[in-house]
Amino acid sequence: MGFLCGIIGKADKPVVAAMAKAMAHRGTARFVEGPDFTAAGACSEDGRLLWDGTPRALDGAALTPDQLLAHCAEHAKAPAGIALRGMFAAAVRMDDAHWLLLRDRLGGKPLYYYPGDGFLLFASELRGLLASGLVPRRLNLTSLDRYLTLRCVPGIESMVRNVYRVEPGTALDIHQGAVT
């Protein structure tokens, strides 16, 4: 078990440290910083990839961080969905201003995000986003209604207003801290 969390669009290690502390029950994390981001989680040697779980190729073989980065580079050229297996969530820094947030096809590993004013927070758990202190603690009444009616919250919305989930089997493009 592991986790990932971070902020894109500005560097803020105390915020990410609070997020990581809230998810410490899932394991330890390595911090990665740049001029406009701070992130924590299991990460590649160069700090471009953070992941939770085990991404696998279509033949079932576990992917190395370099193989996953190469797959993401191909996805950036032709974003037609993620052709990967396994249970995973990942954040990939393609270049200084371009990130991808990925989620497995069945949605086994959640990945939440909050688009703030000039920044984007992401985390494996709602608890991590709320621990940042940057997400208003407001209940999403539409999601509450869906949960009470359907016993689940379908789609990308969460129980917290303005906090969303990356859809299963997709890659969310982030440019300069904004979802595109």
Side-chain angles (χ1 to χ4, degrees), residues 2-179:
F3 68 89
L4 61 139
C5 61
I7 185 167
I8 302 168
K10 67 179 185 177
D12 198 335
K13 189 168 183 177
V15 164
V16 175
M19 294 167 72
K21 184 177 178 185
M23 296 184 292
H25 63 280
R26 296 182 66 166
T28 59
R30 179 176 153 209
F31 285 84
V32 180
E33 291 185 273
D36 64 345
F37 75 93
T38 306
C43 65
S44 61
E45 290 294 320
D46 61 2
R48 291 181 51 211
L49 170 67
L50 291 100
W51 72 90
D52 176 18
T54 308
R56 297 184 176 279
L58 292 178
D59 65 2
L63 295 176
T64 66
D66 289 337
Q67 290 170 326
L68 184 55
L69 284 169
H71 182 80
C72 290
E74 284 300 314
H75 174 80
K77 294 175 191 170
I82 301 174
L84 295 173
R85 291 188 177 172
M87 286 181 35
F88 70 93
V92 182
R93 183 169 47 101
M94 302 304 291
D95 58 45
D96 289 337
H98 182 205
W99 285 72
L100 293 176
L101 297 181
L102 308 153
R103 191 165 170 213
D104 64 270
R105 295 189 296 174
L106 296 179
K109 293 286 185 176
L111 185 56
Y112 296 91
Y113 66 95
Y114 171 75
D117 188 21
F119 66 90
L120 183 127
L121 289 172
F122 64 90
S124 298
E125 294 182 8
L126 281 172
R127 175 189 320 206
L129 289 178
L130 294 172
S132 72
L134 298 175
V135 177
R137 292 175 177 256
R138 295 215 166 130
L139 187 62
N140 182 336
L141 295 177
T142 302
S143 293
L144 176 61
D145 178 62
R146 289 177 180 156
Y147 180 75
L148 293 174
T149 304
L150 305 171
R151 294 186 181 241
C152 70
V153 180
I156 65 169
E157 293 190 10
S158 74
M159 293 295 279
V160 179
R161 188 181 302 170
N162 297 324
V163 172
Y164 307 96
R165 291 181 293 211
V166 176
E167 288 185 89
T170 62
L172 192 68
D173 275 313
I174 312 296
H175 291 277
Q176 297 176 340
V179 178

